[in-house]
Amino acid sequence: MNYSSLRKGILLAGGKGTRLAPLTSAFSKQLMPVYDKPMIYYSITTLMLCGIKKILIISDPENIDLYFRLLGNGDKWGIELSYAIQENPEGVAQSVLIGEEFIDSSHIAIALGDNIFHGNEFIPLLRSADTLKKGSTVFAYPVRDPENYGVLSFDDSGSVVGIEEKPEKPPSQYALTGLYFYDNTVVEKAKELTFSARGELEISDLNIKYLNDKLLNINIMGRGIAWLDTGTIDSLQEASQYIRTLEHRQGLKIGCPEEVAWRQGWINDQQLEKLAANLLKSSYGEYLTKILELNIKDGI
């Protein structure tokens, strides 16, 4: 596979997780399990599948040490992980301001830590977005409850003319997913944002700036891609069941950073074997041993 990107990644793993209370009373929701692995593994692998090796994880003061304890500096997966604190949950777009020094002169991809993507068409879509050097690329998906998301509005010709954040009367069924690709002008655009009535720097407002400049590329995710938002109890359980069903049926894992790193060529056979040895008493470790024995490195 061996795909590499010059883009950096920001992974937002903050928020209060109030819709998952009381489960989130003690720790961050992105540390909770989705079937057989921590939720954050899925968003990390999303960025890794795009070839992104430098990732900034943003979380709240209470949980940032837990993320470092789980993930370390990323070298075990051949990537570079760094960390920053979001003192208060004041919007997804705030991650750009928090990560300004990390971003430097690079383009970025922002992933929400509670979003899971899967499907054969997903990786080509990711890499197509990564090749664009100017503007922004976002992904839309039809949902039955658009009032919970940023929603696209269209004119009579089918062109996108607006984005509304969690509208009471959604203008369409197309919601923006928690994955965003931006060029380096994102920093100056984020600095121009003002707080919304909800007290947040809205990611929709940031996207609208690109839309107004005619620099917003919108990719519609089709039926060949699954997008799972794990922000509620029901959606968390549905995501776990989805992952369990596919993994049992196919014998392949979803959201496995060790496997992605190995297939990308970022770690070698010996490094994967060492990672597997530390997990041998679990089915996860058995899986790593199995793929190493089969030694099939094409595909993911």
Side-chain angles (χ1 to χ4, degrees):
M1 189 165 64
N2 202 9
Y3 182 86
S4 185
S5 171
L6 297 177
R7 194 179 299 265
K8 293 178 180 179
I10 290 179
L11 201 165
L12 197 55
K16 294 181 178 179
T18 52
R19 291 184 296 167
L20 286 170
L23 296 177
T24 48
S25 300
F27 54 86
S28 174
K29 66 179 177 181
Q30 291 87 0
L31 291 168
M32 295 178 64
V34 177
Y35 183 47
D36 60 347
K37 60 192 77 70
M39 187 186 297
I40 197 170
Y41 271 35
Y42 297 92
S43 42
I44 286 177
T45 55
T46 291
L47 295 174
M48 291 172 68
L49 284 169
C50 196
I52 294 173
K53 299 182 72 173
K54 294 183 179 181
I55 300 172
L56 176 68
I57 296 174
I58 298 177
S59 188
D60 55 272
E62 292 77 19
N63 288 285
I64 198 75
D65 289 342
L66 295 177
Y67 282 107
F68 183 78
R69 181 179 177 184
L70 174 68
L71 306 170
N73 62 11
D75 62 352
K76 62 183 177 181
W77 298 332
I79 62 177
E80 297 178 32
L81 296 179
S82 51
Y83 299 83
I85 291 174
Q86 184 181 41
E87 294 289 348
N88 298 297
E90 295 177 335
V92 176
Q94 190 184 43
S95 65
V96 177
L97 303 181
I98 294 172
E100 180 180 2
E101 184 176 339
F102 168 79
I103 295 168
D104 194 21
S105 60
S106 297
H107 301 328
I108 64 165
I110 298 177
L112 302 189
D114 59 358
N115 278 220
I116 298 173
F117 300 89
H118 179 257
N120 287 337
E121 300 174 12
F122 182 53
I123 297 176
L125 200 63
L126 273 182
R127 295 181 180 175
S128 174
D130 185 49
T131 59
L132 293 177
K133 303 304 179 187
K134 187 176 182 180
S136 168
T137 297
V138 295
F139 304 90
Y141 197 93
V143 297
R144 60 176 175 79
D145 54 345
E147 64 276 5
N148 293 320
Y149 304 95
V151 184
L152 300 178
S153 57
F154 302 85
D155 62 17
D156 292 339
S157 68
S159 299
V160 175
V161 294
I163 304 169
E164 297 183 39
E165 185 65 29
K166 297 184 178 178
E168 291 184 9
K169 296 181 179 180
S172 77
Q173 296 297 115
Y174 285 92
L176 291 183
T177 71
L179 182 62
Y180 317 90
F181 286 71
Y182 297 112
D183 63 15
N184 192 254
T185 67
V186 69
V187 176
E188 62 185 68
K189 286 181 171 63
K191 288 180 177 179
E192 296 170 356
L193 297 177
T194 57
F195 286 94
S196 69
R198 301 193 311 146
E200 296 188 3
L201 297 177
E202 304 285 0
I203 195 70
S204 289
D205 290 342
L206 184 58
N207 292 328
I208 287 170
K209 285 185 174 292
Y210 279 95
L211 177 64
N212 291 340
D213 292 341
K214 301 187 186 305
L215 290 172
L216 184 69
N217 304 291
I218 298 172
N219 288 338
I220 305 293
M221 290 182 170
R223 296 187 181 188
I225 298 175
W227 171 44
L228 307 171
D229 177 3
T230 56
T232 68
I233 295 294
D234 285 343
S235 61
L236 179 62
Q237 294 301 313
E238 288 167 1
S240 291
Q241 186 59 45
Y242 176 87
I243 300 297
R244 180 185 184 278
T245 299
L246 283 182
E247 290 191 356
H248 277 235
R249 180 69 173 172
Q250 298 178 340
L252 300 171
K253 289 215 172 292
I254 298 168
C256 178
E258 294 88 350
E259 180 178 10
V260 175
W262 179 64
R263 294 187 187 279
Q264 292 275 37
W266 299 345
I267 62 174
N268 57 33
D269 292 359
Q270 291 73 31
Q271 289 169 303
L272 181 61
E273 183 177 18
K274 183 177 179 181
L275 291 173
N278 292 330
L279 300 166
L280 271 185
K281 291 187 178 181
S282 70
S283 59
Y284 194 95
E286 291 173 0
Y287 175 76
L288 297 181
T289 300
K290 174 184 148 185
I291 61 172
L292 185 57
E293 290 173 351
L294 294 175
N295 200 31
I296 301 173
K297 292 188 180 180
D298 54 331
I300 185 66

XYZ file of all heavy atoms in Angstrom, residues 28-72:
366
model
N -13.037 10.336 29.031
C -13.445 10.794 27.701
C -14.117 9.690 26.897
O -13.719 8.522 26.958
C -12.207 11.297 26.947
O -12.510 11.622 25.621
N -15.130 10.070 26.107
C -15.860 9.071 25.333
C -14.984 8.407 24.282
O -15.183 7.235 23.941
C -17.089 9.689 24.658
C -16.786 10.719 23.575
C -18.069 11.255 22.955
C -17.791 12.330 21.927
N -19.031 12.879 21.331
N -13.973 9.133 23.764
C -13.122 8.550 22.723
C -12.194 7.464 23.253
O -11.514 6.794 22.486
C -12.309 9.645 22.022
C -13.132 10.582 21.168
C -13.707 11.750 21.954
O -13.496 11.872 23.168
N -14.409 12.639 21.285
N -12.184 7.280 24.576
C -11.440 6.179 25.182
C -12.324 4.947 25.386
O -11.829 3.874 25.740
C -10.855 6.613 26.528
C -9.723 7.649 26.462
C -9.440 8.213 27.841
C -8.466 7.029 25.856
N -13.614 5.103 25.159
C -14.540 3.994 25.353
C -14.381 2.971 24.231
O -13.958 3.300 23.123
C -15.981 4.516 25.387
C -16.261 5.427 26.570
S -17.937 6.071 26.556
C -18.837 4.531 26.757
N -14.708 1.708 24.485
C -14.551 0.682 23.449
C -15.661 0.722 22.413
O -16.830 0.940 22.739
C -14.608 -0.632 24.248
C -15.446 -0.297 25.444
C -15.119 1.128 25.783
N -15.276 0.551 21.172
C -16.219 0.223 20.099
C -15.853 -1.191 19.664
O -14.852 -1.415 18.991
C -16.123 1.200 18.926
C -17.078 0.785 17.801
C -16.454 2.617 19.383
N -16.601 -2.130 20.147
C -16.356 -3.568 20.071
C -15.028 -3.916 20.725
O -14.948 -3.990 21.944
C -16.458 -4.106 18.640
C -16.285 -5.608 18.576
C -16.980 -6.442 19.454
C -15.391 -6.197 17.694
C -16.805 -7.814 19.439
C -15.216 -7.570 17.661
C -15.914 -8.373 18.535
O -15.731 -9.733 18.521
N -13.941 -4.080 19.966
C -12.722 -4.678 20.538
C -11.542 -3.730 20.636
O -10.415 -4.163 20.860
C -12.318 -5.907 19.713
C -12.038 -5.569 18.258
O -12.394 -4.449 17.820
O -11.470 -6.422 17.543
N -11.789 -2.442 20.463
C -10.672 -1.489 20.539
C -11.177 -0.118 20.941
O -12.375 0.173 20.787
C -9.909 -1.444 19.215
C -10.746 -1.013 18.023
C -10.025 -1.269 16.711
C -10.050 -2.698 16.287
N -11.411 -3.174 15.862
N -10.316 0.743 21.467
C -10.759 2.078 21.872
C -11.290 2.870 20.672
O -10.774 2.749 19.551
C -9.481 2.727 22.425
C -8.589 1.584 22.776
C -8.891 0.507 21.785
N -12.290 3.674 20.921
C -12.921 4.465 19.864
C -11.905 5.267 19.057
O -11.999 5.368 17.833
C -13.951 5.409 20.488
C -14.795 6.169 19.502
S -15.854 7.401 20.327
C -16.897 6.357 21.356
N -10.917 5.834 19.741
C -9.968 6.716 19.065
C -9.118 5.988 18.024
O -8.593 6.596 17.094
C -9.071 7.444 20.092
C -8.398 8.652 19.441
C -8.073 6.477 20.722
C -7.685 9.558 20.417
N -8.985 4.661 18.157
C -8.222 3.896 17.173
C -8.784 4.077 15.762
O -8.039 4.101 14.774
C -8.243 2.407 17.521
C -7.140 1.939 18.445
C -6.665 2.757 19.465
C -6.593 0.671 18.316
C -5.669 2.321 20.318
C -5.592 0.219 19.172
C -5.137 1.044 20.171
O -4.151 0.614 21.014
N -10.101 4.197 15.664
C -10.730 4.265 14.341
C -10.392 5.575 13.631
O -10.108 5.580 12.427
C -12.245 4.090 14.477
C -12.634 2.745 15.034
C -12.811 2.555 16.404
C -12.803 1.640 14.200
C -13.150 1.313 16.932
C -13.139 0.389 14.714
C -13.309 0.242 16.081
O -13.637 -0.997 16.588
N -10.431 6.685 14.353
C -10.109 7.963 13.722
C -8.616 8.100 13.449
O -8.210 8.724 12.462
C -10.612 9.129 14.580
O -10.366 8.923 15.939
N -7.783 7.498 14.290
C -6.346 7.490 14.007
C -6.068 6.738 12.714
O -5.305 7.202 11.854
C -5.549 6.867 15.176
C -5.498 7.825 16.362
C -4.118 6.521 14.736
C -4.794 7.262 17.570
N -6.707 5.584 12.544
C -6.460 4.815 11.327
C -7.014 5.516 10.097
O -6.471 5.370 8.997
C -7.045 3.389 11.421
O -8.434 3.468 11.749
C -6.327 2.572 12.458
N -8.083 6.290 10.264
C -8.593 7.087 9.136
C -7.500 8.015 8.617
O -7.248 8.094 7.409
C -9.823 7.904 9.554
O -10.915 7.020 9.801
C -10.227 8.889 8.471
N -6.832 8.716 9.522
C -5.751 9.612 9.119
C -4.557 8.832 8.578
O -3.929 9.235 7.588
C -5.334 10.492 10.294
C -6.401 11.472 10.798
C -5.923 12.187 12.068
C -6.757 12.484 9.727
N -4.241 7.705 9.197
C -3.122 6.893 8.734
C -3.372 6.340 7.330
O -2.454 6.256 6.506
C -2.863 5.748 9.712
C -2.318 6.199 11.061
S -2.225 4.852 12.285
C -0.935 3.811 11.565
N -4.615 5.970 7.042
C -4.951 5.436 5.722
C -4.749 6.480 4.629
O -4.568 6.142 3.455
C -6.398 4.939 5.698
C -6.647 3.610 6.399
C -8.146 3.356 6.558
C -6.001 2.457 5.627
N -4.785 7.743 5.030
C -4.524 8.821 4.083
C -3.028 9.102 3.952
O -2.629 9.990 3.205
C -5.265 10.087 4.531
S -5.392 11.333 3.255
N -2.217 8.353 4.671
C -0.779 8.545 4.610
C -0.253 9.590 5.575
O 0.912 9.977 5.510
N -1.105 10.064 6.473
C -0.707 11.110 7.420
C 0.043 10.486 8.591
O -0.463 9.587 9.251
C -1.941 11.888 7.910
C -2.552 12.669 6.743
C -1.575 12.825 9.053
C -3.867 13.335 7.063
N 1.245 11.003 8.858
C 2.098 10.427 9.901
C 2.303 11.359 11.091
O 2.775 10.918 12.139
C 3.468 10.052 9.310
C 3.391 9.013 8.190
C 4.769 8.642 7.668
C 5.539 7.807 8.668
N 6.829 7.307 8.097
N 1.971 12.648 10.935
C 2.114 13.598 12.032
C 0.722 14.030 12.472
O -0.005 14.683 11.714
C 2.941 14.808 11.594
C 4.393 14.458 11.276
C 5.194 15.700 10.918
C 6.657 15.331 10.634
N 7.462 16.530 10.300
N 0.360 13.664 13.706
C -0.998 13.870 14.191
C -0.967 14.549 15.557
O -0.230 14.132 16.457
C -1.748 12.524 14.304
C -1.819 11.833 12.935
C -3.150 12.730 14.880
C -2.365 10.405 12.994
N -1.773 15.593 15.697
C -1.943 16.282 16.973
C -3.263 15.844 17.587
O -4.325 15.986 16.974
C -1.951 17.800 16.765
C -2.227 18.655 18.006
C -1.063 18.558 18.992
C -2.481 20.113 17.623
N -3.210 15.307 18.792
C -4.418 14.903 19.518
C -4.772 15.991 20.522
O -3.950 16.365 21.357
C -4.214 13.552 20.222
C -3.986 12.455 19.169
C -5.409 13.212 21.109
C -3.628 11.117 19.747
N -6.001 16.503 20.401
C -6.462 17.573 21.276
C -7.531 17.020 22.204
O -8.516 16.432 21.754
C -7.021 18.752 20.463
C -5.918 19.355 19.573
C -7.600 19.820 21.384
C -6.402 20.478 18.670
N -7.335 17.209 23.508
C -8.314 16.742 24.480
C -8.351 17.702 25.662
O -7.632 18.704 25.693
C -7.995 15.317 24.940
O -9.047 14.802 25.731
N -9.188 17.384 26.628
C -9.355 18.235 27.804
C -8.275 17.928 28.840
O -7.599 16.895 28.767
C -10.747 18.010 28.412
C -10.983 16.545 28.720
O -11.461 15.816 27.824
O -10.667 16.121 29.835
N -8.078 18.813 29.815
C -7.001 18.620 30.803
C -7.117 17.326 31.594
O -6.103 16.730 31.969
C -7.143 19.839 31.729
C -7.875 20.859 30.927
C -8.789 20.094 30.016
N -8.350 16.866 31.848
C -8.547 15.677 32.673
C -8.160 14.389 31.974
O -7.843 13.383 32.634
C -10.012 15.579 33.128
C -10.455 16.647 34.112
C -10.721 17.985 33.443
O -10.908 18.003 32.204
O -10.729 19.011 34.141
N -8.181 14.374 30.648
C -7.983 13.123 29.912
C -6.720 13.054 29.071
O -6.376 11.985 28.575
C -9.189 12.869 28.997
C -10.437 12.475 29.764
O -10.565 11.356 30.241
N -11.357 13.412 29.917
N -6.022 14.164 28.918
C -4.882 14.186 28.003
C -3.811 13.166 28.401
O -3.204 12.505 27.541
C -4.285 15.615 27.915
C -3.422 15.753 26.674
C -3.569 16.000 29.189
C -4.183 15.882 25.396
N -3.599 12.964 29.699
C -2.598 11.995 30.147
C -3.032 10.558 29.847
O -2.188 9.692 29.591
C -2.332 12.149 31.648
C -1.574 13.424 31.984
O -0.969 14.006 31.066
O -1.608 13.845 33.159
N -4.341 10.315 29.888
C -4.841 8.981 29.558
C -4.587 8.647 28.090
O -4.251 7.506 27.748
C -6.333 8.882 29.876
C -6.736 8.999 31.350
C -8.252 8.951 31.488
C -6.096 7.872 32.163
N -4.748 9.644 27.232
C -4.467 9.409 25.812
C -2.993 9.110 25.585
O -2.641 8.216 24.805
C -4.900 10.623 24.977
C -6.384 10.668 24.755
C -7.180 11.591 25.420
C -7.017 9.769 23.901
C -8.551 11.623 25.242
C -8.387 9.795 23.711
C -9.147 10.725 24.384
O -10.503 10.747 24.207
N -2.124 9.845 26.287
C -0.688 9.577 26.133
C -0.340 8.196 26.668
O 0.480 7.482 26.076
C 0.141 10.648 26.847
C 1.620 10.456 26.652
C 2.229 10.842 25.471
C 2.399 9.868 27.639
C 3.593 10.649 25.274
C 3.756 9.671 27.452
C 4.352 10.067 26.259
N -0.976 7.812 27.757
C -0.718 6.479 28.317
C -1.132 5.385 27.330
O -0.460 4.364 27.199
C -1.469 6.328 29.628
C -1.267 4.987 30.324
C -2.024 4.940 31.640
N -1.899 3.628 32.278
C -2.516 3.291 33.396
N -3.306 4.173 34.002
N -2.357 2.091 33.911
N -2.236 5.601 26.631
C -2.724 4.614 25.657
C -1.897 4.602 24.384
O -1.551 3.535 23.872
C -4.187 4.926 25.312
C -4.824 4.088 24.190
C -4.985 2.629 24.633
C -6.171 4.683 23.791
N -1.550 5.777 23.882
C -1.002 5.891 22.532
C 0.494 6.197 22.495
O 1.157 5.878 21.503
C -1.751 6.981 21.757
C -3.281 6.826 21.705
C -3.907 8.091 21.139
C -3.671 5.611 20.892
N 1.018 6.843 23.533
C 2.422 7.223 23.523
C 2.719 8.257 22.454
O 1.855 9.043 22.052
